[in-house]
Amino acid sequence: MLDKLEAEGLVRSTQSADDKRVRTIGLTKSGRQLISQSKRTAWPLIEAAVADACAGPAQPLLAVLAALEEALAVQPLNSRAERLRADGGRHAPA
């Protein structure tokens, strides 16, 4: 996976001079820009999709997790995010 990210120019890796098994990974400028863009665009949509999947009355945490698991089995998070994007980002239960 790191090789792919490096090939895309999103991360750089350097091998340790002391231990050839160790690589230090860091974001490139392009990687930092992608994270920044994602925080503005994708992350709010993902938060809305999670909120959509968790919609309903307040419940104890374990009940919420079980309901979330069931909701995501019916409609995965990426599908919810696509629906919310198509709806203009409005939070509407499925």
Side-chain angles (χ1 to χ4, degrees):
M1 187 64 102
L2 285 172
D3 289 339
K4 290 180 182 181
L5 292 171
E6 198 165 9
E8 294 284 329
L10 300 174
V11 299
R12 67 180 162 280
S13 73
T14 54
Q15 195 168 37
S16 170
D18 299 331
D19 186 342
K20 298 299 182 198
R21 298 171 295 171
V22 175
R23 290 191 328 177
T24 301
I25 309 299
L27 289 170
T28 62
K29 182 178 179 183
S30 294
R32 288 189 301 276
Q33 289 173 338
L34 180 60
I35 295 292
S36 178
Q37 178 186 2
S38 295
K39 283 181 178 179
R40 290 189 311 276
T41 58
W43 292 9
L45 191 55
I46 291 168
E47 283 185 42
V50 169
D52 179 70
C54 293
Q59 301 174 24
L61 178 60
L62 291 179
V64 171
L65 291 175
L68 176 59
E69 186 175 23
E70 290 174 20
L72 293 177
V74 171
Q75 185 178 22
L77 197 59
N78 63 331
S79 174
R80 290 172 186 276
E82 286 300 323
R83 179 178 48 78
L84 289 168
R85 183 183 316 191
D87 291 345
R90 292 187 305 274
H91 174 68

